[in-house]
Amino acid sequence: MHLIKPSWLSHSGEQKDFEVYSCHVSPDGKRLATAGGDGHVRLWSTESIYNAEDKTYTKPRQLCHMSHHLGTIHSVRFSPNGRYLASGADDKLICIYHLESGPPSHTASFGTNEPPPVENWKTYKRLVGHENDVQDLAWSYDNSLLVSVGLDSKVVCWSGHTFEKLKVLAFHQSHVKGITFDPANKFFATASDDRTIKIFRFTSPPPNATQHDMVNNFVLETTISAPFKSSPLTTYFRRCSWSPDGNHIAAANAVNGPVNSVAIIERTRWDSEINLIGHEGPTEVCMFSPRLFYTKKPAEKDLANGHSSSGLVTVIASAGQDKTLSIWNTNTSRPLVILQDVASKAISDLAWTPDGQTLFAPSLDGGIVAVKFEVGELGWVAKAEENDKALQKYGGSRKGMGLAEDVEGLNLENLSKEGELRGAESRMGALMGDFQPASSKATEVTTNGVKTSTTSTPKIGETNGTTAEPAKEKATTAEETADQTARRIEELKSRVTITKDGKKRITPLLVSSSGTGQSSLPQSQLVGAGFAKPARLDTPQTVLDLSRPFEGLPRGGIAAMLLGNKRKAVAVDGDEDDEHASKRPATGTGPVPIMVNGTDGLEPAALTTPIHGVVPTPEFLRPAVISPAISVSQVRLAVPKIRSHILRPLEKGVLKDETSLEEASKVPENIVLEAKNPAQIREPSHIMATKRGAQIWQDFLPRAIISVTGNKNFWAAACEDGSIHIWTPAGRRLMNAIILESQPVIIEAREHWLLCVTSVGLCHVFNVKGMSAAHPPVSLAPILDIAMTSLSPHGATAAPGVTSAHLNSVGNIVVTLSNGDGFYYSPSMYAWQRLSESWWAVGSQYWNSNDSSISALQTTAVGPVTGPKKSSASGGETAAGGGGVGTNVSAGIIPFLERHTTTEFLLKGRAYTLQRLIKTLLARDSYEGFESSVSIAHLENRIAGALALGSKDEFRLYLFMYAKRIGAEGLKTKVEELLNSLIGGILQDTTTTTTTTTTTTKGDLRVASVDEGRGWFSEEEVLCGWDRKDLLRGVVLILGKFRDLQRLTVQYGRILDLTAGDENGTGENESSMDLED
């Protein structure tokens, strides 16, 4: 551990050093922002702080300073993407700064001793929303939200995109002095002098969100007050922090009896059973390290696989008015480090670097201390993917509605929805005229959609419920006669009123207010449960016969709902006019005849004989039950329907397309995996494997089967509940069922690898042989244009569809989309790489799926099962002179992806707009070399893809094509770099290499050495399965005919001992030419 406290790292003035109230480190770890009592925001180089004792270090220390506030600045925070910097001060303003690309427009400020700025930070926005000092700021982890708190007891939410004020939360009763965000992006917590911490639930606003869209957002989840009942009110801040795994909140200025402490609040339960005790004074700030740590050094093998036997812990630092800095972790009851009297006044803020190994602590004495830990002192830093894994259980990678945190929250949500539904029904019922003012006369009521009868005898044949009435209403209630009704309407029509000026006026009569019940308008029967009349008796108005089902359908069932009860029946010849009424479907009592919708009207349904014998099996039984996780996922893929019969034939280890059982059984040695789903959802599904019609094994599963796959190594089936079952070829269960977060929509087997793509867009790759996963679940969201698509909060947004997902022989994922793009997931880089796209199809001269060199690749969808055969060193993959021997190139993924792009993009007519754009560009003055540049870039993209995939023969083919093109273009720089890369850096200047290594060492940055390089940068003699000298020989012979490049090619020809009359060289050149043309 090293303590660094440079004298120049302060907010110095003419008379004294001003207090430093806040600091923060940029996401890239290169800048430290500080804010102080001089009204300045200063940006420092962290590299200069680390090298403060190095007298030979001459780089700038202070990068920039901004003085756009009129008072003391209390908080400064970088946005998680590093684009913006926000500061809040006691002038009630929040300033947003952003870094402009150009150099600073001014040098040192006139009349000051400030050094000239190095970076050009400018004020981007000034936010006005507080009525008193701004005490603290925080950004959401997805950059969509900025929240500020202040001494006006308000919490103000700002859009992180437009910086529009979205909502003001006035729940606190006193000054608010701390704010922290949940790393899972579901909550944020605020700490106040009213001795409470309030947790707010929120949904990330879209970029175009306005204040009106956020009416129902930012809901108060809970209030925590137990740890702060007697906390002192003397602290300047109450800066709290959320742990990187999302499990805990650390709250400063808590008390445990008479002792000052830091309260650790557990998520979901929102209670504090853990307290960090040791500070002698009130704590001002506590800050979790942004990374998780291993308590024991993990093995290299475990790190490579993403697993470790030792547990993960979080590290937290706390400080306050006792001038002591304490550092704890969740595995020990005592602090790891206690630094007393590191400052002469209270410590006001804490900031960790993104790697979690350095801590900055400013204080009110004007100084800033940097505490730099060695590897292993706090623990061993885990990869950033461990944070994402820990946050997955809270939906950290999802966006949208959010998931219920616990059962109580879900029950509360259901009750709230029921109340809203009752209110909506009551309002709708009132608008539709169901509710009249209470009167002494008994009026007709409706309950559950069934009217109460006005007669004493029950109706016969009532199917949807029986009717009843109280005894009193039987004796007193009578229907109005026609004369009484007419007289009542006349009285209403003749109602006269006198206006203010003494004139008489007849009040107009509303049609529905007559109360006669004989309006021709449809009368709604919607009744709200919360709209009960106080004059009603407690006895029920309607009694349902529970011995019969109450379906809530009109008489006649669904047919009556679809066809209606008013359609005229078909006229029968010979019937009298008075008999036509009997042909109409009964609308009153009695049985309802079954009618069909004929061409001339309703006809009685004809009797049909029941079907005997073999009944054809339906193709689909029902839709699959959808996982609730799909409603909050960024990616939503369609789930296959539940099919009654699924077949998967297997022939000599190669999978075929799904076919019929008869066709699959024609091959004598073919094994067929057959899955049968029952018509009833509660019955088990049946799966079995047969060979020559004889059953090899069978099994039963409790859930319906969605899809099956397999090869000669294992069989696998995906079920409706998101489980994956795996069997050996003999039908023995190989492992327990694998439970996924949602239903698998694509399942694919390749050697010992199993690919599962779920409905929420996560790709799982399992190594069945090694009982492990190739990498953590990978989301399809990046390749579905989510980076440039605004997600709608009210529904799904259209995106390209996934047309196929495959695995190659080493377990790498290859995905094709409906827009023609093809992607490959690189497990070493943890990122998707685009191998094929429509841009190359339109702009490149080498895009031609019918080209001889490409068609000779003989590709399949996922590449060869076995590796390519070893070729001769001379590269003779084709016969010299174009003999009858074809190109023996391994089946490749890149040609398959490019053919798919041609099919989806060019052949389906989607390229017209882009082709017209290219044609317009080529006619302009500055685009003469457009087509040539795109063609060269396309070849470079092919070479990089073949090298990443390990496609040996494709790499050599594309390399020779590329060498010929850059030679013809005369690109000397690229030619020299290509030759030098192939030879492995033999001709590279040693002085340049030494200088580069020294500079890298001084910068304290670790770069992989030559021995650790991969691909072009490796020192091995083999490049993508080929001897480097063989590749260099072919490239030199191709470039030898270009005279303007012979100064370069001759040097490499000497290394390879090539002569002008070398027959092998000539043959190589001809072979290369045959491959390219």
Side-chain angles (χ1 to χ4, degrees):
M1 180 180 67
H2 301 277
L3 290 179
I4 307 172
K5 191 175 182 181
S7 59
W8 47 265
L9 186 60
S10 64
H11 285 241
S12 58
E14 297 179 358
Q15 303 294 334
K16 63 169 185 176
D17 288 344
F18 290 93
E19 301 86 355
V20 182
Y21 289 97
S22 181
C23 71
H24 200 238
V25 183
S26 62
D28 59 2
K30 296 181 180 179
R31 303 177 184 90
L32 172 68
T34 60
D38 57 348
H40 286 246
V41 174
R42 301 180 187 273
L43 293 176
W44 311 88
S45 169
T46 55
E47 184 180 350
S48 65
I49 299 174
Y50 301 151
N51 293 275
E53 298 179 0
D54 187 0
K55 296 181 180 180
T56 61
Y57 188 86
T58 58
K59 292 184 179 181
R61 298 169 176 173
Q62 181 173 302
L63 302 178
C64 187
H65 77 281
M66 293 84 77
S67 57
H68 300 288
H69 285 285
L70 302 178
T72 301
I73 304 175
H74 295 149
S75 182
V76 59
R77 295 289 183 263
F78 282 99
S79 62
N81 58 9
R83 183 177 179 183
Y84 299 109
L85 175 66
S87 63
D90 60 5
D91 58 356
K92 312 172 188 177
L93 297 179
I94 300 170
C95 289
I96 307 296
Y97 313 91
H98 72 130
L99 179 61
E100 294 186 352
S101 57
S105 58
H106 61 280
T107 56
S109 302
F110 181 77
T112 64
N113 295 326
E114 295 287 343
V118 179
E119 295 181 343
N120 191 15
W121 287 83
K122 295 294 183 181
T123 303
Y124 179 69
K125 293 281 186 180
R126 292 167 67 90
L127 311 181
V128 180
H130 283 276
E131 300 172 0
N132 208 329
D133 299 2
V134 180
Q135 284 295 103
D136 206 1
L137 300 167
W139 296 83
S140 63
Y141 280 75
D142 61 351
N143 306 283
S144 64
L145 202 62
L146 172 66
V147 176
S148 59
V149 298
L151 300 185
D152 55 355
S153 306
K154 293 181 180 178
V155 179
V156 184
C157 304
W158 312 85
S159 170
H161 305 281
T162 61
F163 298 103
E164 180 182 351
K165 185 195 298 182
L166 299 179
K167 199 167 187 179
V168 178
L169 307 174
F171 290 90
H172 283 287
Q173 306 300 319
S174 186
H175 309 321
V176 189
K177 296 182 176 180
I179 165 74
T180 183
F181 266 91
D182 170 23
N185 247 30
K186 303 298 179 187
F187 303 96
F188 63 84
T190 56
S192 170
D193 272 351
D194 60 2
R195 294 187 171 98
T196 64
I197 280 185
K198 295 187 182 294
I199 311 295
F200 295 91
R201 178 189 292 270
F202 76 101
T203 302
S204 298
N208 56 350
T210 61
Q211 190 171 357
H212 303 287
D213 301 330
M214 298 292 108
V215 175
N216 296 324
N217 205 349
F218 309 108
V219 180
L220 178 63
E221 178 78 6
T222 187
T223 301
I224 305 165
S225 59
F228 316 101
K229 288 184 178 179
S230 58
S231 63
L233 304 178
T234 58
T235 57
Y236 208 81
F237 300 104
R238 289 175 180 260
R239 302 192 196 269
C240 45
S241 178
W242 213 302
S243 63
D245 58 359
N247 288 332
H248 301 95
I249 305 172
N253 200 7
V255 291
N256 188 358
V259 182
N260 295 289
S261 68
V262 174
I264 305 298
I265 300 167
E266 186 178 356
R267 188 192 184 106
T268 304
R269 294 174 56 189
W270 307 120
D271 59 355
S272 175
E273 297 180 355
I274 304 173
N275 287 274
L276 305 181
I277 300 174
H279 285 279
E280 298 176 357
T283 53
E284 295 265 2
V285 56
C286 49
M287 191 66 61
F288 275 99
S289 174
R291 302 291 288 272
L292 299 174
F293 290 80
Y294 294 108
T295 55
K296 298 180 181 178
K297 185 175 182 180
E300 295 294 332
K301 180 176 65 175
D302 294 335
L303 287 178
N305 296 332
H307 304 288
S308 177
S309 58
S310 59
L312 290 171
V313 297
T314 55
V315 174
I316 179 175
S318 61
Q321 295 183 2
D322 60 350
K323 312 164 199 173
T324 300
L325 176 62
S326 301
I327 298 177
W328 320 64
N329 71 6
T330 54
N331 200 32
T332 58
S333 58
R334 295 180 178 272
L336 299 176
V337 179
I338 299 177
L339 302 176
Q340 294 182 341
D341 297 327
V342 294
S344 58
K345 291 185 180 180
I347 298 175
S348 55
D349 201 356
L350 294 172
W352 289 91
T353 53
D355 61 357
Q357 295 283 47
T358 306
L359 177 66
F360 293 92
S363 63
L364 300 184
D365 62 0
I368 302 170
V369 180
V371 185
K372 192 171 184 180
F373 297 93
E374 297 292 339
V375 176
E377 289 185 334
L378 298 178
W380 284 264
V381 179
K383 293 183 178 180
E385 288 80 9
E386 298 294 337
N387 291 28
D388 299 334
K389 287 182 182 179
L391 294 174
Q392 280 183 358
K393 60 182 177 182
Y394 301 125
S397 59
R398 303 186 183 102
K399 197 173 183 181
M401 296 170 55
L403 292 175
E405 291 290 327
D406 50 13
V407 178
E408 295 178 355
L410 190 61
N411 293 335
L412 181 61
E413 181 180 347
N414 293 334
L415 291 176
S416 176
K417 290 181 179 179
E418 290 176 3
E420 293 177 359
L421 180 61
R422 287 197 299 267
E425 290 177 348
S426 302
R427 290 192 299 271
M428 185 60 69
L431 290 174
M432 297 300 292
D434 281 350
F435 303 104
Q436 305 292 338
S439 61
S440 59
K441 297 182 179 181
T443 58
E444 185 175 310
V445 298
T446 60
T447 308
N448 292 333
V450 183
K451 290 188 177 183
T452 57
S453 176
T454 56
T455 59
S456 58
T457 59
K459 295 181 180 180
I460 302 174
E462 187 73 26
T463 59
N464 289 342
T466 58
T467 59
E469 61 180 359
K472 291 184 179 180
E473 293 192 7
K474 290 183 181 180
T476 59
T477 304
E479 295 184 355
E480 290 184 343
T481 62
D483 296 335
Q484 291 173 339
T485 302
R487 189 162 49 250
R488 180 182 175 189
I489 295 177
E490 289 297 328
E491 292 176 358
L492 292 173
K493 289 182 178 179
S494 60
R495 188 164 50 189
V496 179
T497 58
I498 301 176
T499 60
K500 294 181 179 180
D501 54 359
K503 295 181 180 181
K504 295 183 178 180
R505 183 176 179 273
I506 298 177
T507 305
L509 173 66
L510 185 65
V511 175
S512 62
S513 64
S514 60
T516 60
Q518 299 183 8
S519 171
S520 60
L521 298 176
Q523 298 298 315
S524 170
Q525 303 300 328
L526 189 62
V527 177
F531 220 96
K533 299 180 181 180
R536 287 292 167 201
L537 298 175
D538 293 334
T539 56
Q541 301 299 319
T542 299
V543 178
L544 297 180
D545 187 357
L546 298 181
S547 63
R548 304 179 195 147
F550 180 72
E551 302 291 348
L553 297 175
R555 290 182 56 77
I558 297 179
M561 180 182 292
L562 297 176
L563 305 178
N565 294 325
K566 300 299 183 182
R567 193 174 185 195
K568 186 177 180 181
V570 178
V572 182
D573 294 338
D575 291 344
E576 299 295 334
D577 294 340
D578 55 350
E579 295 179 356
H580 288 173
S582 62
K583 304 296 182 181
R584 183 170 298 171
T587 57
T589 61
V592 180
I594 301 176
M595 308 294 288
V596 295
N597 190 22
T599 56
D600 299 326
L602 296 180
E603 301 175 355
L607 296 177
T608 57
T609 57
I611 300 176
H612 296 283
V614 179
V615 180
T617 303
E619 185 178 3
F620 300 105
L621 296 176
R622 56 180 173 83
V625 178
I626 304 299
S627 170
I630 199 172
S631 61
V632 295
S633 174
Q634 288 180 326
V635 180
R636 307 178 187 182
L637 302 181
V639 180
K641 294 181 180 179
I642 301 300
R643 291 169 286 179
S644 57
H645 204 189
I646 305 173
L647 292 175
R648 187 75 179 193
L650 183 70
E651 182 186 8
K652 297 181 181 179
V654 179
L655 290 175
K656 284 187 173 182
D657 295 332
E658 295 179 1
T659 180
S660 63
L661 186 60
E662 292 78 9
E663 294 174 354
S665 301
K666 290 180 180 178
V667 182
E669 298 298 327
N670 200 10
I671 300 175
V672 179
L673 184 66
E674 188 176 354
K676 296 181 180 179
N677 289 317
Q680 302 297 327
I681 193 172
R682 295 184 179 181
E683 296 179 4
S685 56
H686 185 201
I687 185 169
M688 60 180 176
T690 58
K691 182 178 180 180
R692 298 180 182 177
Q695 179 176 300
I696 301 176
W697 60 270
Q698 69 171 353
D699 201 349
F700 292 89
L701 299 177
R703 298 290 185 270
I705 299 173
I706 295 179
S707 59
V708 296
T709 187
N711 55 23
K712 61 182 179 181
N713 298 314
F714 67 92
W715 295 103
C719 292
E720 188 181 18
D721 60 345
S723 60
I724 303 292
H725 301 266
I726 301 176
W727 296 269
T728 62
R732 180 172 55 89
R733 293 255 182 171
L734 194 57
M735 62 179 69
N736 300 106
I738 302 173
I739 307 301
L740 304 181
E741 67 280 351
S742 60
Q743 289 80 11
V745 298
I746 299 175
I747 180 171
E748 185 74 20
R750 177 74 172 174
E751 294 188 356
H752 292 285
W753 300 97
L754 176 64
L755 168 65
C756 300
V757 182
T758 63
S759 59
V760 296
L762 289 182
C763 300
H764 301 259
V765 178
F766 303 104
N767 185 347
V768 177
K769 184 177 181 180
M771 297 291 182
S772 61
H775 45 71
V778 182
S779 176
L780 291 174
I783 66 175
L784 297 179
D785 292 341
I786 198 169
M788 54 184 296
T789 303
S790 298
L791 300 181
S792 173
H794 306 296
T797 304
V802 179
T803 57
S804 67
H806 298 286
L807 290 172
N808 66 357
S809 57
V810 293
N812 296 333
I813 310 173
V814 179
V815 177
T816 60
L817 302 182
S818 58
N819 60 2
D821 291 356
F823 297 86
Y824 149 79
Y825 182 76
S826 173
S828 60
M829 298 183 64
Y830 297 99
W832 290 96
Q833 295 183 5
R834 184 188 289 113
L835 298 182
S836 177
E837 59 178 319
S838 56
W839 173 255
W840 310 124
V842 178
S844 173
Q845 297 172 340
Y846 291 91
W847 191 278
N848 185 2
S849 61
N850 295 324
D851 185 80
S852 59
S853 60
I854 301 299
S855 60
L857 295 177
Q858 300 176 356
T859 62
T860 59
V862 293
V865 177
T866 60
K869 296 181 180 179
K870 186 174 181 181
S871 303
S872 60
S874 61
E877 287 186 3
T878 57
V885 182
T887 310
N888 184 19
V889 183
S890 64
I893 295 174
I894 297 178
F896 161 71
L897 295 178
E898 291 189 351
R899 286 202 307 271
H900 172 266
T901 304
T902 302
T903 303
E904 291 289 339
F905 190 77
L906 297 179
L907 301 184
K908 292 186 178 180
R910 302 177 184 175
Y912 175 75
T913 303
L914 193 53
Q915 285 175 340
R916 188 174 57 180
L917 174 63
I918 300 300
K919 185 178 180 180
T920 305
L921 287 176
L922 292 177
R924 296 184 181 179
D925 296 334
S926 58
Y927 287 85
E928 292 83 5
F930 174 84
E931 197 169 9
S932 175
S933 300
V934 174
S935 300
I936 293 175
H938 178 217
L939 290 177
E940 292 171 349
N941 185 74
R942 281 178 167 180
I943 294 173
L947 183 60
L949 291 169
S951 302
K952 176 182 176 182
D953 297 319
E954 294 168 6
F955 175 80
R956 179 177 177 273
L957 172 67
Y958 297 146
L959 178 65
F960 290 171
M961 295 170 65
Y962 176 68
K964 181 180 179 181
R965 183 56 185 260
I966 61 176
E969 295 286 344
L971 303 178
K972 294 183 180 180
T973 306
K974 287 192 175 182
V975 169
E976 183 178 5
E977 186 182 66
L978 176 63
L979 295 173
N980 195 26
S981 300
L982 287 174
I983 200 62
I986 292 179
L987 299 182
Q988 187 175 355
D989 189 2
T990 55
T991 58
T992 305
T993 307
T994 307
T995 306
T996 304
T997 306
T998 306
T999 305
T1000 304
T1001 306
K1002 286 185 177 180
D1004 200 21
L1005 298 175
R1006 184 179 180 271
V1007 180
S1009 63
V1010 179
D1011 296 335
E1012 297 177 353
R1014 296 184 59 185
W1016 296 105
F1017 302 100
S1018 66
E1019 200 178 9
E1020 298 176 356
E1021 296 181 357
V1022 177
L1023 179 62
C1024 197
W1026 296 95
D1027 190 342
R1028 283 180 178 268
K1029 290 186 177 181
D1030 293 339
L1031 294 177
L1032 182 63
R1033 179 190 299 271
V1035 172
V1036 169
L1037 290 176
I1038 290 174
L1039 296 174
K1041 63 181 179 181
F1042 301 107
R1043 294 186 176 181
D1044 54 341
L1045 301 175
Q1046 286 182 355
R1047 288 189 177 181
L1048 293 174
T1049 55
V1050 166
Q1051 299 180 34
Y1052 291 88
R1054 293 171 182 170
I1055 297 176
L1056 299 173
D1057 296 327
L1058 293 178
T1059 60
D1062 190 357
E1063 296 180 359
N1064 292 335
T1066 306
E1068 178 72 18
N1069 194 10
E1070 293 177 358
S1071 173
S1072 303
M1073 299 295 290
D1074 289 339
L1075 286 173
E1076 294 151 11
D1077 294 345

